[in-house]
Amino acid sequence: MAYYVGVDLGATNIRSVVADGDGTIIGAADDGTPQGPTGIAVTEAVLGVVREACEAAGVDPERANAAGIGAIGPLDLAEGTVEDPANLPDTIDRIPLTGPISKLLDTERVFLHNDTVAGVIGERFHSERNPDDMVYLTISSGIGAGVCVDGNVLAGWDGNAGEVGHLTLDPEGKITCGCGHDGHWEGYCSGNNIPDYAEYLAEVEGVETALPLGEPDFSAVDVFEHAADDAFAAHVVDRLGHWNAMGVANIVHSFAPLVIYVGGAVALNNPEQVLGPIRERMDEMVMTNVPEIRLTTLGDDVVVKGALASAMTGGTGDRTRL
Ligand SMILES: [Zn+2]
């Protein structure tokens, strides 16, 4: 019997699943992501969660045939590590993954991807048509994409292809992104940045609103919740739709996907308010074929299921390679 392991290393949580040769999940485990003191502590926690998932499955770790990992970035693929992760404290500089997991599972077949690349592998594997040309886009605390073109899942030499959240959309660069550069898509539309963007708009446009602007607990959730009965909140949602459509149009022109699956908490919690405005604007923004734009069917499991699909298909999500 073959066994496969999938791992999702996020900034907040670590998850792992173990599946049998058919891909049926027979064990799972999760834990919080340590916020320090070092990257080694994160590696140890990942190994702990993988061991626990194996235990839940009743499988010795060294019997696993292959593993896939979907991790926060940025990655160093040659080293099999995460380097200076943007969304973890500064003391965490390097998180070794491929080597330690390879050792634990006693297999060289360990595939490391950034989380959105794992996402596109998962969508491809689980999609009815197993399409060769598709994108997985996450709109969450950050924004990023996993891209498959002509059947090739794009990684880039360092594993960081698809960082579309850092496409410059606003040439005037009115908002500074978390990465330190101005005018990036993510700086306006990620869950972490929507409140700041709303406050910026309120300041320059001087409007009345019921949104708790400036309050410490003001969040993206408030903006979407108030959009039905607060004209300013509706205006913010409309502006977000404008930037999101622009970002998606750039993706369409760059990669010509048949379908774009959208996931991440912002999209999953507000599917109509996020996807509707993108779909509406595609015809006016895109000069080539307009792809289908769908909500992910894998929900919060998209990264861990993608990591598992990667383990089963040699890092591709191509079901014909099972
Ligand atoms: Zn940026």
Side-chain angles (χ1 to χ4, degrees):
M1 179 57 106
Y3 297 103
Y4 298 97
V5 174
V7 179
D8 169 6
L9 169 59
T12 320
N13 290 299
I14 302 166
R15 301 173 65 195
S16 179
V17 295
V18 176
D20 63 17
D22 301 329
T24 305
I25 292 171
I26 54 174
D30 59 83
D31 199 357
T33 305
Q35 302 297 304
T38 62
I40 300 299
V42 180
T43 303
E44 291 296 339
V46 169
L47 294 176
V49 171
V50 172
R51 271 193 216 99
E52 219 180 296
C54 289
E55 206 170 300
V59 176
D60 287 333
E62 57 269 25
R63 289 179 64 200
N65 294 55
I69 311 164
I72 48 172
L75 303 180
D76 182 333
L77 272 196
E79 296 293 325
T81 57
V82 175
E83 294 291 330
D84 298 319
N87 297 321
L88 285 174
D90 286 345
T91 57
I92 298 180
D93 51 359
R94 155 179 276 230
I95 306 170
L97 290 172
T98 308
I101 288 177
S102 181
K103 199 168 167 205
L104 173 69
L105 302 177
D106 191 24
T107 175
E108 293 296 310
R109 293 179 61 76
V110 177
F111 303 95
L112 175 63
H113 312 280
N114 80 31
D115 42 16
T116 52
V117 171
V120 78
I121 290 171
E123 294 291 357
R124 187 177 188 216
F125 185 83
H126 289 281
S127 165
E128 280 161 37
R129 294 174 300 165
N130 200 219
D132 282 347
D133 297 281
M134 60 185 295
V135 169
Y136 170 72
L137 171 68
T138 181
I139 305 178
S140 184
S141 48
I143 292 177
V147 178
C148 184
V149 176
D150 299 337
N152 300 307
V153 175
L154 305 186
W157 72 272
D158 54 359
N160 297 316
E163 286 282 7
V164 298
H166 306 279
L167 287 171
T168 302
L169 297 187
D170 177 4
E172 291 170 22
K174 290 186 288 289
I175 302 272
T176 302
C177 182
C179 74
H181 301 295
D182 297 335
H184 289 180
W185 182 3
E186 182 173 309
Y188 296 74
C189 299
S190 75
N192 286 354
N193 292 321
I194 288 171
D196 287 347
Y197 179 49
E199 284 166 3
Y200 167 83
L201 281 179
E203 205 175 295
V204 295
E205 295 174 10
V207 290
E208 290 292 312
T209 176
L211 290 178
L213 301 177
E215 299 291 327
D217 60 350
F218 173 46
S219 76
V221 175
D222 298 310
V223 173
F224 288 104
E225 270 182 8
H226 282 81
D229 52 24
D230 184 284
F232 176 70
H235 172 61
V236 175
V237 169
D238 181 68
R239 294 311 297 162
L240 295 174
H242 171 78
W243 296 121
N244 283 334
M246 204 181 264
V248 169
N250 286 344
I251 291 173
V252 174
H253 290 136
S254 301
F255 303 114
L258 275 169
V259 54
I260 299 177
Y261 286 98
V262 187
V266 174
L268 285 169
N269 295 333
N270 314 283
E272 282 316 307
Q273 286 166 295
V274 173
L275 297 192
I278 298 174
R279 291 187 185 116
E280 280 164 24
R281 288 166 165 89
M282 280 299 96
D283 279 337
E284 70 195 48
M285 287 190 177
V286 171
M287 58 76 71
T288 51
N289 291 305
V290 173
E292 280 183 69
I293 295 169
R294 294 195 191 168
L295 192 67
T296 174
T297 53
L298 302 176
D300 290 335
D301 295 334
V302 61
V303 174
V304 76
K305 284 192 171 169
L308 178 63
S310 168
M312 296 178 70
T313 60
T316 66
D318 182 353
R319 283 201 301 264
T320 63
R321 294 182 49 151
L322 277 176

